[in-house]
């Protein structure tokens, strides 16, 4: 009972950490850091209870995860840590900490009930947002829960919903009516939440996950295995087709990202471009693709992208085929056939299945609550023990020192990101000298942080007139808008050739955005290059646009007037 109370308290503190941090500018960075500190404290307490002669067993799943982590650490040092921020270390450290804590928890059932409760809380939040009782965390979507986007919310609810269904199946003969009513209510609320998110991947995960229900599994797979496989493939194809027709533009956009990502994989096949490099490299590949092709269907769905919308493809881009094989090894161990009849093992496996299915169409590892589902469920699996290690005083002492060090470092990072939030919040105010000084002082520590890059480096690109800032501004995260800022900066310091290159790159990154071509046209006019100005003006008038707005209407009107004055307009 004490362990149950401790675990519930731990989950409560993690949730409170998230809710308190969400009002700050660097909210996720604070959440990662303080969560790592909290988990380190729990592991420190666990280590204090160890005695000489206590046995620590290591399973084949533990070993495979350790090898995967080791590969990534070596990969970071080999490729250089130019894409890794301290917040990323805190995030993945928290993932490992959650796994270790749950791995040593005797009663795994408490994990499943905690996840169901969290799913109910997210579903109620989604319903309240849809009824405009609560504000969402996104300017475009009404329903986001606490995950910032309806897509990840749908994936989170799908995993929790399947777990609730399995718990209800287990309690089918339970005489406690209140338990059955509670689980049925939870299932209904989460189902409504999934519908509100409008997530096709979440619905697909739920449908396929239900096939693993014990009575359905035993009846279908044991007696009609071949028939079930054929029917399942047909249903997957049919449902996939329906989902594609439901929102074809969204599906085509993902297919385009996967196509271009395959070119990235081919360029660094074995070891990838580096962990955290996708958002820094992808848009250049997309610009190169549209510079050499004129596929109108792809042009109309292209947009700025920071994720591959498929975790295996994303992993292959960053860590190469070798990293992918390590990850597939873990997945293979999860689904390795065994004769374990433990229901906790089956529930965890189904939850992982839904998580993986959803991850084939989303960015699960970039949403912290959704990411934490994976170590929570992996730690609930039964796996073969391969190493038995006995504790001694030296090992216990080193473990205590390690946990205390990591915990203090995590707390310091959380406090530092809290200070960053407070200091940089005034960067866009009139009196921003303090924010600029803070950003400049801590540049070396924060330069790999994407949010810092978008805030401080983006501000420099829009306002700086100093050539000494060039090395920083050129590291801006690539995108159609950010490269327009880069071009503006080059114009301000008189480097028109580099400005032209930046605007052209921006125009190819997202061919339906007019602003890069409009800025390029203005630059040609100001430099007296009438030939290129005329050519760019005609290009603006025939440019395909995804959305018409006041800017595009006014820009076209201005360009049309210019061409009429020059008498070069053509039908």
């Amino acid at each position: 009972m004490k362990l149950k109370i401790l675990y519930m308290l731990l989950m409560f503190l993690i949730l409170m950490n998230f809710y308190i941090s969400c009002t700050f500018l660097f909210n996720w960075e604070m959440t990662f850091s303080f969560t790592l500190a909290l988990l380190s404290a729990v592991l420190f307490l666990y280590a204090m209870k160890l005695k000489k002669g206590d046995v620590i067993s290591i399973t084949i799943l533990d070993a495979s995860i350790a090898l995967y982590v080791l590969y990534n650490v070596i990969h970071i040092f080999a490729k250089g840590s130019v894409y890794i921020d301290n917040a990323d270390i805190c995030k993945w450290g928290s993932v490992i900490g959650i796994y270790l804590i749950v791995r040593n928890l005797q009663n795994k059932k408490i994990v499943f009930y905690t996840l169901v409760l969290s799913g109910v809380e997210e579903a109620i939040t989604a319903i309240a947002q849809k009824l405009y009782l609560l504000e969402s965390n996104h300017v475009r979507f009404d329903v986001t829960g606490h995950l910032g986007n309806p897509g990840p919310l749908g994936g989170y609810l799908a995993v929790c919903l399947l777990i609730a269904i399995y718990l209800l199946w287990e309690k089918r003969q339970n005489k406690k009516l209140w338990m059955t009513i509670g689980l049925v209510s939870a299932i209904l609320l989460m189902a409504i939440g999934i519908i509100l998110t409008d997530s096709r991947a979440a619905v697909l995960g739920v449908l396929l996950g239900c096939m693993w229900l014990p009575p359905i599994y035993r009846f279908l797979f044991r007696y009609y295995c071949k028939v079930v496989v054929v029917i399942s493939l047909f249903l997957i194809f049919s449902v996939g087709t329906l989902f594609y027709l439901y929102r074809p533009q969204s599906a085509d956009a993902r297919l385009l990202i996967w196509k271009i990502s395959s070119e990235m994989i081919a360029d660094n096949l074995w070891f990838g471009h580096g962990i955290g490099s996708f958002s820094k490299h992808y848009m250049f590949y997309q610009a190169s693709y549209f510079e050499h092709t004129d596929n109108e269907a792809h042009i109309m769905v292209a947009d700025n992208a920071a994720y591959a919308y498929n975790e295996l493809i994303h992993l292959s881009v960053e860590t190469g085929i070798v990293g992918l094989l390590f990850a597939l090894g873990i997945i293979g161990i999860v689904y390795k056939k065994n004769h374990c009849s433990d229901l906790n093992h089956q529930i965890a496996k189904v939850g992982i299945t839904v998580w993986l299915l959803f991850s084939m169409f989303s960015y699960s590892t970039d949403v912290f609550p959704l990411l934490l589902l994976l170590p929570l469920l992996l730690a609930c699996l039964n796996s073969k023990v391969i190493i038995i290690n006995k504790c001694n005083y030296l090992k216990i002492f080193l473990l205590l020192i390690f946990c205390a060090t990591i915990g203090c470092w995590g707390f310091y990072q959380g406090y530092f990101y809290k200070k960053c939030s407070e200091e940089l919040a005034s960067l866009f105010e009139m009196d921003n000298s303090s924010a600029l000084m803070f950003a400049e002082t801590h540049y070396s520590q924060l330069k790999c942080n994407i949010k810092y890059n978008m805030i401080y480096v983006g501000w420099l690109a829009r306002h700086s007139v100093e050539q000494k800032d060039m090395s920083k501004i050129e590291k801006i995260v690539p995108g159609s808008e950010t490269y327009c800022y880069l071009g503006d900066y080059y114009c301000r310091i008189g480097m028109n050739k580099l400005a032209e290159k930046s605007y052209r790159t921006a125009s190819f990154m997202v061919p339906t955005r007019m602003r890069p071509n409009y800025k390029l046209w203005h630059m040609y006019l100001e430099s007296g290059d009438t030939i290129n100005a005329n050519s760019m003006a005609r290009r603006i008038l025939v440019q395909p646009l995804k959305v018409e707005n006041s800017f595009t209407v006014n820009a076209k009107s201005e360009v049309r007037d210019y061409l009429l004055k020059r008498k070069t307009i053509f039908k």
Side-chain angles (χ1 to χ4, degrees):
M1 181 60 71
K2 290 182 179 179
L3 283 175
K4 289 184 179 180
I5 295 173
L6 178 63
Y7 181 79
M8 293 295 289
L9 180 62
L10 173 64
M11 292 296 103
F12 174 76
L13 289 173
I14 291 176
L15 288 174
M16 286 302 297
N17 168 34
F18 168 67
Y19 292 138
I20 292 171
S21 301
C22 67
T23 58
F24 289 88
L25 189 62
F26 289 85
N27 57 326
W28 285 116
E29 287 82 356
M30 289 175 59
T31 301
F32 303 154
S33 304
F34 286 131
T35 300
L36 178 63
L38 181 61
L39 295 173
S40 299
V42 174
L43 289 171
F44 183 87
L45 294 175
Y46 172 78
M48 287 184 65
K49 293 177 62 178
L50 292 175
K51 300 176 183 177
K52 183 179 180 181
D54 285 351
V55 173
I56 297 178
S57 60
I58 299 175
T59 67
I60 188 171
L61 180 60
D62 299 335
S64 63
I65 292 173
L67 286 173
Y68 177 70
V69 172
L70 180 62
Y71 170 77
N72 281 282
V73 171
I74 295 172
H75 194 278
I76 289 171
F77 283 104
K79 286 278 186 178
S81 58
V82 292
Y83 308 115
I84 300 297
D85 178 49
N86 286 343
D88 297 315
I89 298 173
C90 291
K91 180 175 81 169
W92 290 102
S94 299
V95 169
I96 296 170
I98 282 282
Y99 177 82
L100 292 175
I101 290 172
V102 178
R103 171 76 172 74
N104 292 282
L105 193 66
Q106 294 297 321
N107 186 2
K108 303 291 198 298
K109 195 67 63 69
I110 190 174
V111 176
F112 303 134
Y113 282 107
T114 303
L115 290 178
V116 171
L117 287 174
S118 68
V120 169
E121 189 269 340
E122 287 297 331
I124 292 173
T125 302
I127 293 170
Q129 289 173 340
K130 189 64 178 178
L131 296 174
Y132 301 105
L133 300 176
L134 293 175
E135 292 184 4
S136 73
N137 299 321
H138 202 287
V139 295
R140 290 178 54 194
F141 302 110
D142 295 331
V143 176
T144 60
H146 295 100
L147 278 72
N149 194 286
L153 174 62
Y156 190 90
L157 291 175
V159 174
C160 296
L161 175 62
L162 259 296
I163 291 173
I165 291 173
Y166 271 70
L167 291 174
L168 180 63
W169 166 254
E170 182 197 19
K171 299 295 182 182
R172 67 193 184 283
Q173 295 178 339
N174 195 320
K175 302 302 181 182
K176 295 179 181 179
L177 183 61
W178 64 270
M179 181 68 76
T180 303
I181 293 174
L183 287 171
V184 170
S185 302
I187 290 169
L188 291 175
L189 284 170
M190 287 187 282
I192 294 171
I194 290 174
I195 293 170
L196 293 178
T197 63
D198 198 24
S199 172
R200 295 160 294 174
V203 174
L204 181 62
V206 170
L207 293 177
L208 295 180
C210 286
M211 295 180 64
W212 287 69
L213 274 168
I216 299 175
Y217 180 85
R218 282 197 297 267
F219 178 75
L220 294 178
F221 284 87
R222 290 188 180 181
Y223 301 106
Y224 304 100
C225 185
K226 293 182 180 179
V227 176
V228 168
V229 170
V230 174
I231 294 176
S232 298
L233 291 174
F234 174 75
L235 287 175
I236 291 172
F237 177 78
S238 302
V239 172
T241 303
L242 290 174
F243 283 162
Y244 173 82
L245 295 175
Y246 177 59
R247 284 211 305 266
Q249 281 195 332
S250 174
D252 287 338
R254 280 167 168 74
L255 291 173
L256 171 64
I257 292 172
W258 296 348
K259 175 183 174 62
I260 296 174
S261 296
S262 66
E263 298 177 5
M264 298 178 69
I265 295 171
D267 280 353
N268 287 276
L269 182 62
W270 294 107
F271 299 105
H273 293 261
I275 296 173
S277 63
F278 186 90
S279 61
K280 307 290 179 65
H281 288 221
Y282 173 80
M283 290 306 296
F284 294 125
Y285 278 83
Q286 184 163 293
S288 177
Y289 175 77
F290 284 118
E291 188 174 5
H292 299 97
T293 189
D294 195 23
N295 189 320
E296 186 175 350
H298 285 169
I299 287 174
M300 295 308 297
V301 299
D303 208 335
N304 294 312
Y307 321 103
Y309 292 93
N310 182 298
E311 288 297 340
L312 294 182
I313 292 177
H314 197 118
L315 186 68
S316 301
V317 168
E318 294 191 347
T319 65
I321 296 299
V322 176
L324 177 64
L325 290 176
F326 275 105
L328 292 177
I330 296 174
I331 295 173
I333 292 170
V334 169
Y335 293 102
K336 182 181 178 182
K337 188 174 181 180
N338 57 45
H339 301 287
C340 177
S341 58
D342 182 14
L343 188 63
N344 291 343
H345 179 86
Q346 299 300 327
I347 294 176
K349 185 184 288 188
V350 170
I352 293 169
T353 301
V354 177
W355 191 93
L356 289 173
L357 284 170
F358 180 79
S359 299
M360 295 302 100
F361 308 96
S362 189
Y363 43 95
S364 303
T365 57
D366 278 272
V367 182
F368 193 53
L370 191 55
L371 171 62
L372 287 185
L373 291 178
L374 187 60
L376 283 168
L377 295 171
L378 283 173
C380 293
L381 293 172
N382 294 323
S383 186
K384 182 181 178 181
V385 177
I386 56 173
I387 299 174
I388 295 178
N389 195 2
K390 289 187 177 181
C391 294
N392 56 41
Y393 291 126
L394 177 61
K395 292 178 182 177
I396 296 172
F397 176 74
L398 291 176
L399 183 59
L400 288 170
I401 294 297
F402 180 76
C403 292
T405 303
I406 294 297
C408 292
W409 182 78
F411 183 81
Y412 167 76
Q413 291 299 321
Y415 176 78
F416 173 71
Y417 283 116
K418 178 177 179 293
K419 189 175 181 181
C420 290
S421 301
E422 295 168 349
E423 292 288 343
L424 295 181
S426 62
L427 184 63
F428 295 95
E429 296 177 2
M430 291 295 294
D431 183 13
N432 60 359
S433 56
S434 175
L436 287 173
M437 183 178 297
F438 181 88
E440 177 67 26
T441 303
H442 296 91
Y443 175 78
S444 60
Q445 187 174 352
L446 289 166
K447 62 182 179 182
C448 297
N449 184 278
I450 290 182
K451 188 174 292 185
Y452 172 84
N453 184 291
M454 299 298 291
I455 295 171
Y456 175 58
V457 179
W459 186 92
L460 287 178
R462 287 192 290 269
H463 299 93
S464 177
V465 292
E466 303 290 338
Q467 287 198 15
K468 65 183 180 63
D469 293 327
M470 187 187 302
S471 60
K472 298 175 185 175
I473 296 173
E474 287 179 337
K475 291 183 175 63
I476 196 167
V477 176
S480 183
E481 287 75 20
T482 56
Y483 258 57
C484 282
Y485 299 151
L486 180 61
D488 294 343
Y489 167 73
Y490 284 137
C491 282
R492 288 196 300 272
I493 62 175
M495 294 185 171
N496 285 1
K497 287 294 183 182
L498 290 176
E500 180 182 13
K501 182 181 178 181
S502 298
Y503 289 141
R504 286 184 60 83
T505 302
S507 70
F508 287 120
M509 283 178 174
V510 186
T512 55
R513 300 284 172 88
M514 183 180 288
R515 193 174 299 275
N517 288 331
Y518 178 76
K519 286 181 174 290
L520 197 55
W521 172 65
H522 257 288
M523 191 194 75
Y524 288 143
L525 283 181
E526 291 172 2
S527 62
D529 188 349
T530 56
I531 295 176
N532 280 323
N534 292 343
S535 175
M536 186 55 61
R538 289 193 292 270
R539 180 178 175 181
I540 289 172
L541 290 181
V542 299
Q543 179 181 357
L545 298 175
K546 191 183 296 185
V547 177
E548 285 274 9
N549 53 37
S550 59
F551 167 76
T552 60
V553 172
N554 291 333
K556 281 186 176 181
S557 177
E558 183 181 356
V559 168
R560 193 177 290 109
D561 289 344
Y562 164 78
L563 288 174
L564 285 172
K565 290 178 182 178
R566 299 285 301 181
K567 296 183 179 181
T568 58
I569 194 167
F570 296 95
K571 290 186 179 181

